Amino acid sequence: MGRKFYFKENEGLDKIVNYLLSFKNLEAILLNGELGAGKTTLASSIAKKLGEKKTVVSPTFNTMICYDKIVHIDAYKLKGDLFAFEEFFDDKLVIIEWSKNINHNFKNFFEIDAKIEIINEEIYHVFEVITTPILKGLFVETSLDDFFVALVENEKIVDHIILKKLVKKTDHFFETIDEILIRNKISINDLNVIYTTKGPGSFTGSRLGFSFASTNKILQRFVNNNDLQIKLSPTYDLFFKQLNLDKIYIKANKYKAYKISKSGVNVNIELSDEIEKINNFDYSKIIYDFSSYVDIFSDVKDVQEEELVYASEPQIGGM
């Protein structure tokens, strides 16, 4: 089911405008729907948010109007493709009304249906996202010394926060997540996917990222009808991908390291006193080339069947 936004008559459209413009590489917004449903009003609201000074009007009689921030097209009488118009698209957001009438070459776009609904005798303008190839997600890494969180769009990191040598990640976890979401004007409800690791590493850190991802997967399904994807990877696969070694050392605590060796698909993990051999993970490489790491993450269907990776069973408490 597509994401729906409801607005009363004459209510501002900030919620959907902020959501759409939170996507860094957005090329186009393709609008369809009945007359008077709010297509031009949405286009005008988007342009205003982008800082457009000119008044945006319906392009019905002009077919296309170029503004400073957007290109606005009415495709009601068009057929075929947009080749004749594409030279005007550089560095501008393209908004097309009646977009079902044409073919396009956009890769990062939203297709939105607009309609009017009567709910409890009140008029609502409803905008439903029908199609988008753009996936928005978070990458959360808490099992290593540093706390790293990144906003991801279509396998590219567009924003990130790294807190170096953070021992008690629980003290800053939620405020850091909130910080990156707020400054990108989105909420946790807007995410399509969460990438995280499942250890080995810090015992509490490994649980933190995994618990955050799995809890949100369950909540989003029931609260927002959002089929949030969870993608997990053993922490050591980050190192094997980056370092191209067959043996690595990951910090377990102040006194121990995990010695991890890999031969084909076989992985052996053991605790070691060789803490001087601990490998460091270079986050700058994943920031600039996250797409090359995506294949190490696997889809999670049932979070309750997933287990964290330990070298030995945790011995906390007991009978």
Side-chain angles (χ1 to χ4, degrees), residues 21-170:
L21 296 184
S22 74
F23 290 82
K24 308 296 184 184
N25 300 307
L26 182 62
E27 296 175 82
I29 297 172
L30 312 179
L31 300 172
N32 293 289
E34 57 199 81
L35 286 169
K39 298 187 295 297
T40 301
T41 301
L42 178 57
S44 177
S45 298
I46 291 169
K48 185 176 181 181
K49 193 72 174 183
L50 288 171
E52 180 63 57
K53 303 300 182 183
K54 299 174 183 176
T55 300
V56 174
V57 297
S58 174
T60 300
F61 299 105
N62 303 84
T63 304
M64 181 182 74
I65 302 177
C66 286
Y67 297 91
D68 294 329
K69 302 296 182 180
I70 69 168
V71 173
H72 195 188
I73 295 174
D74 186 311
Y76 186 76
K77 296 181 180 180
L78 296 181
K79 293 186 182 298
D81 59 36
L82 295 171
F83 179 76
F85 302 93
E86 288 175 348
E87 63 180 291
F88 300 97
F89 292 175
D90 289 351
D91 302 321
K92 297 186 188 222
L93 179 63
V94 181
I95 303 177
I96 304 177
E97 300 186 28
W98 308 104
S99 65
K100 287 184 178 179
N101 293 339
I102 51 88
N103 301 316
H104 65 83
N105 295 311
F106 301 118
K107 294 181 179 179
N108 299 313
F109 66 91
F110 282 92
E111 182 181 354
I112 297 173
D113 270 1
K115 61 182 177 180
I116 295 174
E117 290 186 13
I118 307 297
I119 303 173
N120 296 327
E121 300 182 350
E122 289 192 89
I123 298 174
Y124 282 82
H125 293 268
V126 182
F127 299 93
E128 182 177 4
V129 177
I130 302 298
T131 305
T132 179
I134 311 175
L135 294 180
K136 188 184 286 291
L138 280 181
F139 172 44
V140 180
E141 208 322 285
T142 55
S143 63
L144 303 175
D145 265 359
D146 304 329
F147 173 32
F148 182 77
V149 57
L151 184 65
V152 181
E153 284 184 14
N154 283 8
E155 302 182 358
K156 292 183 179 180
I157 288 179
V158 296
D159 195 8
H160 71 277
I161 297 173
I162 182 167
L163 302 180
K164 293 285 190 178
K165 305 296 182 183
L166 187 62
V167 178
K168 295 184 67 177
K169 297 181 179 67
T170 51

Side-chain angles (χ1 to χ4, degrees), residues 91-271:
D91 302 321
K92 297 186 188 222
L93 179 63
V94 181
I95 303 177
I96 304 177
E97 300 186 28
W98 308 104
S99 65
K100 287 184 178 179
N101 293 339
I102 51 88
N103 301 316
H104 65 83
N105 295 311
F106 301 118
K107 294 181 179 179
N108 299 313
F109 66 91
F110 282 92
E111 182 181 354
I112 297 173
D113 270 1
K115 61 182 177 180
I116 295 174
E117 290 186 13
I118 307 297
I119 303 173
N120 296 327
E121 300 182 350
E122 289 192 89
I123 298 174
Y124 282 82
H125 293 268
V126 182
F127 299 93
E128 182 177 4
V129 177
I130 302 298
T131 305
T132 179
I134 311 175
L135 294 180
K136 188 184 286 291
L138 280 181
F139 172 44
V140 180
E141 208 322 285
T142 55
S143 63
L144 303 175
D145 265 359
D146 304 329
F147 173 32
F148 182 77
V149 57
L151 184 65
V152 181
E153 284 184 14
N154 283 8
E155 302 182 358
K156 292 183 179 180
I157 288 179
V158 296
D159 195 8
H160 71 277
I161 297 173
I162 182 167
L163 302 180
K164 293 285 190 178
K165 305 296 182 183
L166 187 62
V167 178
K168 295 184 67 177
K169 297 181 179 67
T170 51
D171 290 348
H172 299 276
F173 184 81
F174 290 105
E175 67 181 56
T176 305
I177 296 291
D178 286 343
E179 179 183 345
I180 198 167
L181 293 177
I182 290 169
R183 77 187 188 191
N184 286 278
K185 298 180 180 179
I186 62 171
S187 75
I188 199 74
N189 303 331
D190 298 325
L191 298 179
N192 305 106
V193 58
I194 297 177
Y195 303 88
T196 192
T197 54
K198 57 180 182 177
S202 162
F203 173 63
T204 54
S206 298
R207 290 186 299 164
L208 183 58
F210 174 76
S211 297
F212 170 75
S214 57
T215 300
N216 272 286
K217 181 173 179 63
I218 295 170
L219 288 177
Q220 286 293 317
R221 181 179 300 168
F222 291 103
V223 176
N224 295 301
N225 197 28
N226 178 12
D227 190 17
L228 181 69
Q229 292 178 279
I230 302 299
K231 293 182 178 287
L232 286 179
S233 170
T235 309
Y236 53 71
D237 274 347
L238 292 176
F239 288 86
F240 285 129
K241 184 77 174 181
Q242 186 172 106
L243 301 176
N244 197 27
L245 299 173
D246 57 11
K247 183 187 296 182
I248 61 168
Y249 292 80
I250 295 177
K251 182 179 179 180
N253 56 39
K254 182 178 180 179
Y255 308 103
K256 297 286 185 180
Y258 295 110
K259 182 169 69 173
I260 307 167
S261 55
K262 188 174 185 179
S263 177
V265 297
N266 298 315
V267 176
N268 181 68
I269 307 174
E270 57 185 284
L271 280 174

